[in-house]
Amino acid sequence: MTLEKNNTFTLTNNNSGESFELPVFKGSVGPDVIDIRKLYGDTNCFTYDPGFTSTGSCESKITYIDGDEGILLYRGYPIDQLADNSDYLETCYLLLFGDLPNQSQKESFVNDITHHTMLHEQFNTFFHGFRRDAHPMAVMCGVVGALSAFYHDSLDINDPHHRMVSSYRLIAKVPTIAAQAYKYSVGQPFITPRNDLGFAENFLHMMFATPAEDYVVSKTLAKAMDRILILHADHEQNASTSTVRLAGSSGANPFACIAAGIASLWGPAHGGANEAVLKMLNEIGDVSKIPSFIKKAKDKDDPFRLMGFGHRVYKNFDPRAKVMQQSCHEVLDELGIKGEPLLDLAMELERIALEDEYFVNRKLYPNVDFYSGIIFKAIGIPETMFTVLFAVARTVGWISQWNEMIEDPTQKIGRPRQLYLGENKRDYIELSNR
Ligand code: CMC
């Protein structure tokens, strides 16, 4: 245990009058945690916390978030400093190994990732099993999971070398899979990765080049893409990361665990929000309709929510959104986009929602997905690929968290309990008597 024992918390059962002492542990920063591991044994009670809003599930040294202050740190480094000064592969090294690389470590890491971007040739056949109109996230779930059927030599989760080979393979190959999922959906041939390009540049090249015409990647767009990747690289114990950890807690292989994370990310309340933002903007259609959509979002009886607004943890502002807002304006300037109705609509929605009492009182600010959707749209990335890009960026966070979990001697198979409200024991009734 790296946590320092701080004090205790006394829990009193008002019915029996019994009291129980629960240890309280202190992290390096952030709220203390009450250790309830012995609670069931001592009290015969479970805790009840749907959505895990008050539950810490693990120790971690990777990412720290202070939602009230709008702070996000990767291994201690503030996200805005990394977005301004670092690059995605350096950030990957930081998340995976705990420290920024020196010059030779960085060169070696970049070289290794760059030289593992190609997929086994047989994957081409595998892709052709999908319908052309499949959502690329469906293809991602299938193909990333299938890596475990191709790379048998890195599946021993108890071997640190195997774990690292799988981690490199995932960081390197997931962008290739993502670009191929797109090419397959539009009926174009797959574009082989190029080792002379940077990570973000290569991704844009695999997306937009064709055998008939090369794609010259704009430095501004490559930089914006690299920043988006940095901003999405990890985010503590969110739904998809917790899914990866839970899947991994049973000893499943890393490719299967990351596929599970991709499935969890797909939902519109999580990574699917960036696609949902654009869908919503299309639905709104015109600035004059914004007030009626804001009204719908406030209506308790209407399930509609303003996509790209609000966050489970950030209740002040999303520090990623701040950086992304700046990138968003840079990209729109570089591309000379003015008078694009959807983007104008987004800017107007942002303005109105930031002033509206309902959103202000509930601290519902535009989140990272609000701006990333707009940037992707401006770069020419189709909406169905938005969440895929989130998955590309988050792969390093998932695999770093998975490695941390495997190396943590206190981790057990994840197995939550429940408050059972169903029938008590009853006897089977023969079909003829029902
Ligand atoms: N539009 C309208 N009302 C909202 C919204 C929204 N986007 N988000 C929250 N609320 C309201 C909610 O109805 C509730 O109101 P009241 O207190 O009157 O009942 C209050 O704000 C608190 O909401 P909550 O449901 O308790 O908040 P949560 O922490 O459970 O949900 C969330 C967080 C992100 C799921 C939610 O804000 C949401 O659905 N946002 C839209 C989807 C979205 O943009 N998701 C991307 C999150 S950022 C990317 C990532 O990290 O995955």
Side-chain angles (χ1 to χ4, degrees):
M1 276 287 255
T2 50
L3 298 177
E4 180 194 329
K5 197 165 173 177
N6 181 32
N7 52 30
T8 57
F9 192 91
T10 306
L11 188 72
T12 305
N13 181 333
N14 288 337
N15 289 329
S16 66
E18 274 182 294
S19 285
F20 305 91
E21 293 283 301
L22 300 170
V24 174
F25 294 104
K26 215 173 184 40
S28 40
V29 58
D32 296 349
V33 298
I34 303 166
D35 181 352
I36 56 161
R37 280 175 290 184
K38 296 206 173 115
L39 187 75
Y40 176 55
D42 289 349
T43 67
N44 207 28
C45 281
F46 296 136
T47 56
Y48 182 60
D49 186 18
F52 311 121
T53 51
S54 296
T55 298
S57 60
C58 60
E59 291 177 34
S60 184
K61 293 180 178 167
I62 302 176
T63 294
Y64 174 73
I65 301 175
D66 183 331
D68 295 325
E69 295 298 321
I71 292 171
L72 169 61
L73 311 175
Y74 292 167
R75 302 284 191 183
Y77 293 103
I79 192 67
D80 52 326
Q81 289 187 27
L82 291 168
D84 285 346
N85 305 303
S86 184
D87 58 60
Y88 180 65
L89 282 185
E90 184 175 82
T91 302
C92 287
Y93 185 100
L94 173 70
L95 288 168
L96 207 48
F97 296 107
D99 266 313
L100 286 168
N102 63 27
Q103 188 68 32
S104 72
Q105 286 166 331
K106 183 167 176 178
E107 276 167 19
S108 155
F109 183 69
V110 170
N111 186 62
D112 285 345
I113 297 297
T114 306
H115 287 85
H116 284 86
T117 49
M118 284 178 64
L119 290 175
H120 191 290
E121 177 65 15
Q122 237 179 306
F123 265 103
N124 292 350
T125 325
F126 189 70
F127 267 98
H128 283 87
F130 288 98
R131 284 174 53 139
R132 293 270 180 195
D133 60 357
H135 194 289
M137 281 299 275
V139 176
M140 291 293 287
C141 290
V143 179
V144 172
L147 289 170
S148 49
F150 285 81
Y151 298 103
H152 301 143
D153 58 343
S154 61
L155 294 183
D156 181 357
I157 65 160
N158 298 312
D159 180 331
H161 182 66
H162 277 220
R163 292 203 295 273
M164 215 28 79
V165 172
S166 295
S167 305
Y168 278 43
R169 279 181 170 151
L170 278 157
I171 296 166
K173 293 183 201 302
V174 167
T176 313
I177 296 172
Q180 291 199 355
Y182 169 62
K183 288 299 196 190
Y184 186 72
S185 74
V186 290
Q188 290 183 8
F190 299 145
I191 297 296
T192 310
R194 268 192 28 202
N195 291 351
D196 60 326
L197 298 179
F199 192 86
E201 263 180 306
N202 180 48
F203 178 72
L204 291 171
H205 161 78
M206 290 190 292
M207 283 283 295
F208 296 122
T210 68
E213 202 171 322
D214 207 2
Y215 173 77
V216 182
V217 185
S218 136
K219 291 278 172 230
T220 310
L221 298 194
K223 172 85 191 137
M225 178 61 73
D226 198 74
R227 271 186 140 191
I228 292 177
L229 296 174
I230 294 175
L231 295 177
H232 286 83
D234 195 46
H235 212 228
E236 209 226 57
Q237 309 309 322
N238 55 80
S240 57
T241 303
S242 298
T243 303
V244 169
R245 279 185 177 257
L246 197 56
S249 74
S250 70
N253 75 69
F255 302 115
C257 295
I258 301 303
I262 292 172
S264 170
L265 186 76
W266 193 356
H270 191 9
N274 51 17
E275 183 180 347
V277 169
L278 262 286
K279 268 200 188 126
M280 178 190 73
L281 292 176
N282 277 314
E283 213 183 314
I284 298 177
D286 190 81
V287 174
S288 63
K289 300 225 180 83
I290 292 178
S292 68
F293 277 83
I294 299 244
K295 198 168 160 219
K296 257 164 83 69
K298 294 181 192 173
D299 183 352
K300 283 257 160 284
D301 300 323
D302 191 325
F304 175 78
R305 283 188 164 194
L306 222 46
M307 285 295 133
F309 284 79
H311 198 274
R312 166 57 63 82
V313 180
Y314 296 120
K315 300 300 180 194
N316 189 342
F317 65 91
D318 180 342
R320 303 167 302 169
K322 250 190 168 175
V323 178
M324 199 64 100
Q325 188 187 32
Q326 183 199 338
S327 268
C328 182
H329 291 294
E330 276 170 23
V331 167
L332 297 186
D333 282 351
E334 153 92 8
L335 296 172
I337 295 180
K338 273 193 198 77
E340 159 70 57
L342 223 52
L343 301 177
D344 289 348
L345 186 65
M347 294 302 132
E348 184 59 8
L349 183 65
E350 177 199 26
R351 192 188 65 75
I352 294 177
L354 283 176
E355 286 171 3
D356 190 287
E357 207 180 297
Y358 173 94
F359 290 89
V360 173
N361 287 348
R362 286 170 182 73
K363 303 189 170 182
L364 300 169
Y365 298 91
N367 56 47
V368 69
D369 285 329
F370 183 74
Y371 297 106
S372 65
I374 298 168
I375 297 179
F376 290 151
K377 164 88 184 157
I379 294 179
I381 291 176
E383 286 158 37
T384 52
M385 284 297 290
F386 289 7
T387 314
V388 174
L389 271 160
F390 195 155
V392 167
R394 186 56 59 84
T395 296
V396 67
W398 289 329
I399 202 64
S400 303
Q401 299 266 356
W402 175 83
N403 273 295
E404 187 181 63
M405 183 201 65
I406 300 289
E407 285 162 19
D408 179 352
T410 65
Q411 276 299 308
K412 295 165 174 261
I413 184 168
R415 178 54 172 96
R417 304 307 297 262
Q418 62 175 4
L419 174 64
Y420 178 68
L421 297 175
E423 297 289 347
N424 273 349
K425 180 173 177 280
R426 51 182 172 166
D427 290 326
Y428 181 77
I429 304 165
E430 288 302 330
L431 185 58
S432 56
N433 293 332
R434 279 177 238 156

